[in-house]
Amino acid sequence: MKPSGEDRAARAGGPWEECFEAAVQLALRAGQIIRKALSEEKRVSTKTSAVDLVTETDQAVEALILSELQERFPSHRFIAEEAAAAGAKCVLTPSPTWIVDPIDGTCNFVHRFPTVAVSIGFAVNQELEFGVIYHCTEERLYTGQRGRGAFCNGQQLQFRETDLSKALVLTEIGPRRDPATLKLFLSNMERLLRTGAHGVRVIGSSTLALCHLASGAADAYYQFGLHCWDLAAATVIIREAGGIVMDTSGGPLDLMACRVVAAGTREMATLVAQALQTINYGRDDER
Ligand SMILES: O=P(O)(O)O[C@H]1[C@H](O)[C@@H](O)[C@H](O)[C@H](O)[C@@H]1O
Ligand SMILES: [Mg+2]
Ligand SMILES: [Mg+2]
């Protein structure tokens, strides 16, 4: 189902509305490209590990999004996954900054597993202003604007209240597969299951996992090994749905720290954070 124009128009207004609408239109266009390419042959390359994949579609979609935004907003700055992989610095300044993941779920995309999204976040004065995440195969447009709520195809999103012993917890593996990392990853999953959580799920897309939390389809998320472009848009959507996003230390979210805990309440997020052993993936702004 496509988001209806009148739904979005109903929320018109806000200081960055022109940028928000540009992000929505670009996410929908990118989603069409990704949806078409999902079933086609792909040229697959690797980045930081044999399981950290990138395709020509990741590159093409990122080029489309960035070229259109740079033309419309030449004074703005950009942080994007594939540009960062090519050596661009991830520095969040007070300038209006776009934070883009052209395909979130590239490993899924390569395998034609239909859990794939495009994620476009936007920050000003180092404060996240809005996020747009488009589930390309289910045609679900998730949006969040600071102080203006979170929506999926025009339907307002709200966290479901629950406690950890009844929670469905989502996480992601991250790109490292060395024995020590795998041991910690599996140990953290075991620790969460020992709390009595109903289940733990890994779906291959951190942005869509966080959207599931915001829509009440899951209750908590944690990850070591994601990036600022996985987190930016989803953080606004989670917050605007009434949820909490924090650092795995229990402190405030650090967008560049490559780690996160999210839940409907600070109490739940803190319980998850306290159960975790840290896996050090470094920082996006120190690469
Ligand atoms: O590279 P993309 O943009 O597909 O992002 C995924 C990361 O690659 C995974 O390591 C990570 O574990 C998450 O699955 C994340 O969504
Ligand atoms: Mg990603
Ligand atoms: Mg990506």
Side-chain angles (χ1 to χ4, degrees):
M1 181 183 126
K2 289 191 177 57
S4 60
E6 58 274 13
D7 290 331
R8 293 202 308 277
R11 298 189 307 282
W16 300 102
E17 195 62 20
E18 182 190 357
C19 294
F20 175 70
E21 280 305 327
V24 167
Q25 293 312 315
L26 278 167
L28 294 173
R29 278 175 64 191
Q32 273 186 324
I33 295 167
I34 295 163
R35 193 162 54 244
K36 179 175 179 298
L38 184 72
S39 57
E40 296 172 349
E41 287 307 308
K42 301 166 182 74
R43 281 198 315 278
V44 184
S45 310
T46 58
K47 296 188 288 188
T48 61
S49 76
V51 298
D52 187 9
L53 308 178
V54 60
T55 71
E56 71 275 34
T57 306
D58 296 79
Q59 305 283 7
V61 165
E62 183 169 301
L64 166 72
I65 292 171
L66 264 55
S67 60
E68 297 262 328
L69 291 173
Q70 283 161 345
E71 184 179 346
R72 281 188 68 174
F73 310 106
S75 67
H76 290 188
R77 296 178 68 121
F78 299 85
I79 296 173
E81 177 174 8
E82 307 317 334
K89 293 298 178 198
C90 298
V91 180
L92 191 58
T93 70
S95 301
T97 305
W98 298 84
I99 307 169
V100 177
D101 188 340
I103 301 181
D104 186 53
T106 297
C107 184
N108 289 347
F109 176 71
V110 167
H111 289 272
R112 305 184 184 191
F113 188 81
T115 303
V116 290
V118 50
S119 180
I120 302 175
F122 184 72
V124 181
N125 294 325
Q126 294 160 310
E127 174 96 52
L128 292 166
E129 283 293 335
F130 65 70
V132 174
I133 297 172
Y134 186 48
H135 191 317
C136 307
T137 53
E138 293 187 358
E139 298 186 64
R140 291 178 189 270
L141 183 77
Y142 295 88
T143 63
Q145 292 174 276
R146 188 161 66 91
R148 305 169 59 77
F151 298 84
C152 176
N153 287 0
Q155 298 298 315
Q156 185 136 24
L157 298 178
Q158 185 61 44
F159 260 84
R160 215 164 40 94
E161 289 282 321
T162 185
D163 59 60
L164 194 48
S165 66
K166 299 183 181 67
L168 188 61
V169 182
L170 308 186
T171 187
E172 290 293 323
I173 297 173
R176 288 214 311 247
R177 293 290 187 279
D178 58 282
T181 297
L182 287 179
K183 188 170 173 16
L184 283 169
F185 171 78
L186 294 171
S187 166
N188 281 337
M189 195 177 275
E190 182 183 359
R191 285 160 171 254
L192 262 295
L193 289 168
R194 286 183 183 281
T195 65
H198 278 177
V200 178
R201 301 283 186 274
V202 179
I203 66 170
S205 164
S206 43
T207 63
L208 289 177
L210 289 162
C211 286
H212 288 316
L213 258 66
S215 63
D219 306 297
Y221 184 83
Y222 69 92
Q223 188 182 347
F224 298 91
L226 76 175
H227 297 281
C228 58
W229 47 79
D230 294 310
L231 271 174
T235 294
V236 183
I237 292 167
I238 291 267
R239 287 172 173 164
E240 290 303 317
I244 298 279
V245 185
M246 65 163 63
D247 186 69
T248 52
S249 64
L253 173 71
D254 178 345
L255 197 63
M256 298 292 171
C258 297
R259 61 194 203 181
V260 69
V261 174
T265 63
R266 183 167 299 282
E267 182 194 7
M268 169 99 90
T270 303
L271 283 173
V272 171
Q274 287 171 343
L276 299 174
Q277 292 176 283
T278 295
I279 307 172
N280 183 2
Y281 271 92
R283 295 181 58 85
D284 285 328
D285 54 4
E286 291 177 356
R287 294 189 197 292

